[in-house]
């Protein structure tokens, strides 16, 4: 995937003018938030589970080599194969080689962000193998030839009208005058459409939410059941997983699962949580005859021992982007690569190099909500600041600090963002103020700051009152 | 080799070489004892309430539950359900001894076929290994007598579950699997596939609105066999 992260500001400007996108973001706003809040309120132990989740992941990362070796040994014991891949190239080739050996013509796919990261679809297409996305959101994006804009709801940027129009455009064998009265009519058409694809595929590729060292299992968590059909029906199952997905035991995984669905869609548990361990056993009436795990590093091992190691705790729940005012205003595509939102702003520079994404860590209001909802307590705003510091130190982008404030100002001029951020913004501006002290005092150039802090040296807010309240008060005083 | 490169990079990051033997033994000890973490209080209930919580949670997730007093009552309950939903009386059924032992003759119109599911099946009957009250979840481990396709392909998935197999938390269901299942290939407790199923399939991909009826079953119906005197609802 082409990286357009350096053009974040232009991407964001375009996103703010895109009426369709703004409508979709408006519709989506709050759906995940309210459901998450309700699910969390229903589980009094949630906060303690977050500490446990963080600790499990920290323990695993501190012993990652051992758990990966144990995982691989147990996969092999269960009749599976592990393909260790340092780079995206190696991983693509490993997948292609398995498909080729199988003489595969079509490959069904469950939703997998690592597959997007690696560009598996293009690679297979280029070699004459047809990938078929089966997750509903990924399916329509494949029809539209677009990347996902959200890590758990890939078609976050689309409206119901887009779905209808694309289905009419692509499913030309169906009656033109058919009616999509309900969302479920769209769902039903995709279901019928994909059923034959599931049954015909030679290879099924899924991602993995977790790998379990104790048993050599890969775990997928879905609502649709497409991932399960993908890994159950074809003769060969390939699980694509990055190295930080491993956890020691079923119990460790279970504790993280209590956090995952609640943080993601606000469900207590997703519909299907499935543990796959090796290939079909003697006497089994179904299941794949071959089971492969393509285990991908692609930059992650370099994060270990750095200030970004904690990012490897991420369980890809998307709570940080669902609660991010910047994401909520511009959507996922503006971030310019596979992983959007706060987690993307930290992860993308780590994986593709800060020189290609320099501006991304500035795509933030530093309101701190992402960290406060992250189920494994990743200090996302702190890490974004680390990137800015690194960027500054390395002089990769001359005037990095000014750039950052320019971007902040870009958002600050759109007060709607700040209404979303409410009280948390106070803390955020405090941080920004502190940061800007070391940043050549460029703060004074913020158009917004001038409006509400007349006569003050530094616009670091005092405790009490939300940003909007103070902003409004400042406006009134003028 | 990429394996060595990856492990080497991890160790460099951790600023150490391969773990010494005593530390490896400690980690292997943790794997062998697989300690539990915090278990939420919500499922720590007396038996009848635990079963009631299971049922409530299944229904909250859009599944349905019908309690049956014994195996002999299963054919009538299933026949009536299928008739009420206008569903065919022929269906694939898990070739599990417990299901095979049901007196199907009592409803001669029913035609259970012990086999895996096909893409065209409208109904399937699966054998439930365990239920988890915490979230109304079924645990369905694969085995020759419990094919995975029976969880996935039919429009209406019916599962027979004994009330005595309902646990409070996932960890207890794992313990049951650890105790009862021996995998022929690994000698361990994990079968090829373990599915946790919570309600019928759905998608939130269109405008973040949950809609039932994605690629898996549109309906999930649980026949709950009241084999546990301690778990019966208080007499009305
Ligand atoms: S960073 Fe935290 S909140 Fe964001 S996706 Fe990862 S785990 Fe979820």
């Amino acid at each position: 995937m082409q990286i357009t992260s350096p053009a974040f500001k232009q991407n964001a400007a375009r996103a703010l003018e895109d009426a369709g996108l703004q409508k979709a973001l408006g519709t989506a706003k709050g759906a995940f938030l309210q459901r998450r809040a309700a699910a969390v309120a229903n589980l009094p132990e949630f906060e303690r589970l977050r500490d446990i989740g963080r600790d499990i992941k920290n323990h695993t990362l501190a012993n990652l080599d051992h758990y990966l070796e144990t995982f691989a040994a147990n996969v092999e014991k269960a009749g599976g194969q592990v393909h260790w891949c340092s780079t995206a190239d190696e991983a693509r080739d490993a997948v292609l080689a398995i498909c080729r050996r199988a003489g595969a013509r079509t490959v069904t796919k469950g939703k997998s962000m690592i597959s997007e990261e690696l560009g598996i679809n293009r690679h297979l297409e280029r070699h004459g193998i047809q990938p078929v996305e089966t997750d509903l959101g990924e399916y329509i994006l494949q029809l539209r030839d677009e990347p996902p804009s959200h890590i758990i709801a890939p078609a976050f940027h689309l409206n119901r009208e887009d779905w209808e129009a694309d289905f009419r455009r692509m499913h030309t064998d169906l009656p033109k005058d058919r009616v999509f009265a309900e969302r479920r009519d769209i769902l039903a058409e995709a279901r019928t459409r994909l059923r034959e694809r599931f049954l015909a595929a030679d290879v099924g590729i899924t991602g993995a939410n977790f790998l379990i060292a104790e048993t050599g299992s890969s775990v997928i968590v879905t609502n649709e059941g497409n991932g399960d059909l993908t890994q159950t029906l074809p003769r060969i199952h390939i699980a694509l997983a990055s190295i930080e997905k491993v956890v020691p035991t079923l119990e460790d995984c279970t504790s993280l699962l209590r956090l995952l669905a609640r943080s993601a869609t606000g469900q207590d548990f997703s519909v299907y949580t499935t543990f796959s361990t090796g290939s079909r056993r003697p006497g089994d009436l179904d299941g794949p005859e071959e089971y492969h795990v393509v285990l991908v590093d692609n930059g992650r091992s370099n994060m270990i021992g750095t200030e970004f190691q904690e990012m490897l705790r991420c369980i890809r729940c998307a709570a940080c982007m669902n609660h991010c005012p910047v994401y909520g205003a511009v959507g996922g595509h503006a971030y310019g690569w596979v992983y959007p939102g706060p987690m993307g702003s930290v992860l993308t520079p780590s994986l593709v190099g800060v020189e290609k994404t320099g501006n991304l860590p500035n795509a933030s209001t530093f309101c701190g909500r992402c960290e406060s909802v992250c189920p494994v307590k990743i200090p996302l705003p702190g890490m974004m600041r680390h990137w800015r510091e690194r960027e500054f130190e390395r002089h990769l982008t001359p005037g990095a600090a000014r750039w950052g404030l320019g971007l902040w100002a870009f958002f600050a001029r759109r007060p709607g963002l700040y209404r979303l951020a409410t009280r948390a913004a106070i803390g955020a501006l405090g941080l920004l103020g502190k940061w800007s002290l070391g940043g050549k005092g460029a703060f004074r150039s913020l158009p917004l700051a001038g409006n509400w802090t007349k006569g003050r040296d530094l616009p670091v807010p005092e405790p009490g009152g939300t940003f909007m309240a103070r902003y409004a008060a400042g406006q009134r005083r003028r | 080799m990429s394996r060595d490169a990856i492990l080497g990079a991890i160790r460099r990051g951790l600023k150490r070489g391969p773990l010494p033997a005593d530390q490896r033994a400690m980690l292997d000890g943790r794997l062998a004892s697989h300690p539990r973490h915090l278990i939420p209080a919500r499922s720590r209930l007396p038996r009848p309430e635990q079963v009631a919580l299971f049922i409530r949670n299944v229904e909250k997730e859009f599944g349905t539950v019908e309690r049956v007093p014994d195996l002999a009552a299963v054919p009538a309950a299933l026949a009536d359900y299928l008739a009420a939903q206008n569903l065919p009386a022929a269906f694939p059924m898990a070739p599990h001894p417990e299901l095979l032992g049901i007196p199907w003759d009592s409803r001669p119109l029913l035609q259970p076929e012990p086999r895996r599911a096909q893409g065209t099946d409208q109904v399937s009957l699966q054998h439930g290994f365990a239920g988890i009250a915490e979230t109304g979840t079924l645990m369905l481990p694969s085995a020759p007598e419990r094919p995975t396709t029976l969880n996935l392909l039919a429009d209406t998935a019916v599962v027979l579950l004994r009330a005595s197999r309902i646990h409070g938390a996932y960890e207890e269901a794992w313990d049951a699997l650890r105790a009862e299942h021996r995998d022929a290939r690994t000698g361990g407790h994990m079968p090829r596939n373990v599915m946790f199923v919570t309600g019928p399939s759905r998608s939130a991909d269109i405008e973040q609105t949950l809609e039932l009826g994605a690629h898996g079953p549109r309906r999930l119906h649980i026949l709950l066999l009241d084999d546990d005197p301690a778990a019966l609802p208080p007499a009305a």
Side-chain angles (χ1 to χ4, degrees):
Chain A
M1 187 176 158
Q2 181 90 26
I3 303 169
T4 65
S5 307
F8 181 83
K9 195 173 167 183
Q10 294 90 311
N11 293 348
R14 214 176 310 123
L16 287 165
E17 302 304 319
D18 181 337
L21 174 65
Q22 290 304 319
K23 180 169 176 230
L25 292 170
T27 312
K29 192 180 291 168
F32 283 143
L33 270 66
Q34 283 158 21
R35 284 202 294 263
R36 176 193 175 275
V40 168
N42 250 321
L43 188 69
E45 295 91 346
F46 191 81
E47 276 310 305
R48 277 155 71 203
L49 284 168
R50 287 177 73 207
D51 288 332
I52 291 168
R54 175 200 58 202
D55 294 348
I56 291 170
K57 282 288 195 171
N58 281 348
H59 168 81
T60 312
L61 290 170
N63 300 287
L64 188 59
D65 50 340
H66 185 70
Y67 286 128
L68 285 174
E69 288 187 288
T70 308
F71 167 76
N74 283 325
V75 170
E76 276 150 27
K77 227 161 127 187
Q81 278 184 59
V82 179
H83 308 258
W84 299 72
C85 302
S86 285
T87 63
D89 272 338
E90 280 178 39
R92 282 190 290 263
D93 287 345
V95 170
L96 180 64
I98 298 166
C99 294
R100 277 199 165 150
R101 209 165 25 73
R105 290 169 49 202
T106 66
V107 171
T108 40
K109 294 188 66 218
K111 202 185 86 59
S112 157
M113 292 311 295
I114 186 85
S115 166
E116 299 287 340
E117 180 184 324
L118 300 171
I120 294 291
N121 286 5
R122 288 271 181 278
H123 195 65
L124 291 177
E125 279 164 4
R126 212 172 287 145
H127 293 87
I129 297 168
Q130 194 195 359
V132 180
E133 294 289 352
T134 65
D135 170 88
L136 191 63
E138 291 283 354
Y139 174 68
I140 194 173
L141 295 186
Q142 193 176 24
L143 296 183
R144 296 168 66 91
D145 195 20
E146 271 179 357
S149 65
H150 188 281
I151 62 171
I152 66 160
F156 203 85
H157 57 290
L158 298 182
N159 296 295
R160 194 171 140 183
E161 303 84 83
D162 302 316
W163 287 83
E164 294 188 14
D166 286 326
F167 275 31
R168 283 188 205 285
R169 182 170 59 83
M170 299 303 285
H171 301 163
T172 46
D173 52 325
L174 295 173
K176 281 195 174 35
D177 55 353
R178 67 195 186 280
V179 183
F180 294 101
E182 309 273 347
R183 290 193 189 85
R184 74 177 53 124
D185 299 331
I186 302 172
L187 204 60
E189 184 166 310
R191 186 189 209 263
T192 313
R193 207 74 202 176
L194 282 164
R195 196 35 88 96
E196 52 212 72
R197 303 305 211 115
F198 281 122
L199 295 163
D202 307 294
V203 175
I205 300 179
T206 67
N209 292 82
F210 301 98
L211 304 173
I212 299 179
E214 175 200 1
T215 55
S217 312
S218 59
V219 184
I220 61 168
V221 179
T222 73
N223 278 320
E224 297 183 10
N226 66 307
D228 284 284
L229 290 165
T230 298
Q231 65 184 14
T232 303
L233 298 177
R235 206 172 64 70
I236 297 173
H237 172 205
I238 303 174
L240 287 174
S242 48
I243 53 174
E244 82 282 12
K245 297 285 175 195
V246 72
V247 293
T249 66
L250 292 170
E251 280 75 5
D252 294 321
C253 181
T254 300
S255 287
L256 289 162
L257 285 169
R258 285 198 178 92
L259 293 164
L260 178 58
R262 289 184 174 90
S263 301
T265 52
Q267 291 166 278
D268 286 348
F269 217 54
S270 300
V271 178
Y272 302 108
T273 300
T274 305
F275 300 70
S276 297
T277 313
S279 55
R280 187 187 283 213
R281 305 294 198 266
D284 275 356
L285 302 180
D286 49 25
E289 282 151 38
E290 287 181 32
Y291 172 78
H292 299 265
V293 178
V294 173
L295 192 60
V296 187
D297 181 344
N298 203 29
R300 282 144 180 97
S301 60
N302 289 333
M303 294 166 69
I304 296 174
T306 71
E307 60 266 60
F308 305 108
Q309 174 171 326
E310 288 180 276
M311 191 61 220
L312 296 175
R313 291 204 298 264
C314 175
I315 58 173
R316 304 288 191 269
C317 71
C320 55
M321 62 197 72
N322 291 339
H323 291 76
C324 176
V326 175
Y327 181 95
V330 301
H333 286 158
Y335 290 81
W337 199 53
V338 178
Y339 301 103
M343 59 80 73
S345 295
V346 175
L347 191 62
T348 304
S350 302
L351 296 183
V352 305
V354 67
E355 70 283 356
K356 292 194 191 131
T357 63
N359 307 315
L360 220 41
N362 299 310
S364 167
T365 65
F366 287 83
C367 72
R369 269 194 187 183
C370 48
E371 180 173 2
S372 74
V373 296
C374 175
V376 285
K377 296 196 158 181
I378 298 174
L380 293 156
M383 289 181 164
M384 284 186 245
R385 271 197 308 282
H386 281 315
W387 272 128
R388 299 161 79 138
E389 282 159 18
R390 272 210 186 179
E391 198 187 335
F392 191 74
E393 279 163 21
R394 291 180 178 191
H395 304 290
L396 283 173
T397 52
R402 215 174 48 232
W403 215 121
L405 289 169
L407 194 54
W408 180 84
F410 170 83
F411 285 110
R413 276 196 298 271
R414 290 158 176 85
L417 288 180
Y418 281 93
R419 261 180 243 121
L420 289 171
T422 64
R423 285 181 177 277
I426 288 296
L429 286 173
L431 292 174
L432 187 68
K434 268 176 241 153
W435 175 77
S436 72
L437 276 172
K440 302 182 184 165
F443 218 177
R444 271 166 230 242
S445 69
L446 287 180
L448 183 64
N451 280 344
W452 65 283
T453 58
K454 248 179 213 153
R456 284 185 215 178
D457 259 348
L458 275 167
V460 180
E462 289 156 8
T466 64
F467 177 89
M468 272 316 286
R470 299 180 64 85
Y471 176 57
Q475 293 282 46
R476 271 198 303 277
R477 246 182 273 125
R478 280 167 67 207
Chain B
M1 273 297 293
S2 292
R3 177 196 171 104
D4 298 336
I6 293 171
L7 294 174
I10 292 170
R11 287 172 187 144
R12 268 196 307 285
L14 294 169
K15 297 176 185 61
R16 60 165 173 76
L19 283 170
D22 59 330
Q23 283 194 43
R24 282 207 307 274
M26 218 171 64
L27 296 178
D28 289 339
R30 188 185 185 280
L31 289 171
S33 62
H34 50 86
R36 286 182 183 181
H37 305 285
L38 175 123
I39 292 184
R42 62 155 63 170
S43 68
R44 316 288 80 195
L45 298 166
R47 283 299 288 159
E49 287 165 47
Q50 216 167 40
V51 172
L53 176 67
F54 174 80
I55 294 172
R56 259 203 326 279
N57 277 329
V58 171
E59 289 171 350
K60 177 177 156 238
E61 297 302 338
F62 310 100
T64 49
V65 180
E66 182 177 350
R67 299 182 88 145
V68 289
D70 50 37
L71 281 176
V74 169
L78 185 55
D80 292 349
Y81 173 78
L82 296 179
Q85 307 286 340
N86 231 341
L87 291 167
F91 54 87
M93 173 180 86
H96 190 280
E98 200 159 275
L99 298 185
L100 296 170
I102 289 172
W104 295 107
D105 301 349
S106 63
R107 285 291 180 128
L109 281 181
L110 287 182
Q111 294 169 46
E113 300 159 18
R115 61 170 171 86
R116 58 165 280 174
Q118 305 296 343
T120 48
D121 289 323
Q122 290 190 56
V123 183
S124 59
L125 178 59
Q126 178 62 292
H127 178 262
F129 176 84
I132 295 139
E134 189 174 346
T135 47
T137 300
L138 291 163
M139 183 195 224
L140 305 169
S142 72
E145 64 273 14
R146 201 183 291 105
T148 306
T149 41
L150 291 171
N151 310 335
L152 290 169
L153 279 170
D155 248 29
T156 300
V158 184
V159 179
L160 179 74
L161 178 71
R162 288 179 174 269
S164 60
R165 306 291 305 184
I166 292 178
H167 303 278
Y170 315 107
E171 283 85 346
E172 291 153 345
W174 284 130
D175 277 356
L177 189 74
R178 288 180 197 278
E180 294 169 30
H181 189 85
R182 270 305 134 254
D183 186 79
R185 186 175 291 155
T186 65
H189 56 272
M190 270 317 248
R192 186 195 68 75
N193 173 288
V194 180
M195 279 185 78
F196 283 113
V197 177
T198 312
S201 90
R202 65 200 69 177
S203 173
D205 273 346
I206 308 171
E207 299 181 332
Q208 285 65 61
T209 309
L210 276 176
E211 290 283 349
L212 295 186
H215 299 294
R218 290 186 166 101
R219 271 187 292 240
L220 176 71
H221 185 61
I222 298 173
L223 293 172
L224 189 62
L225 187 69
D226 268 317
D227 66 332
D228 182 357
L232 286 172

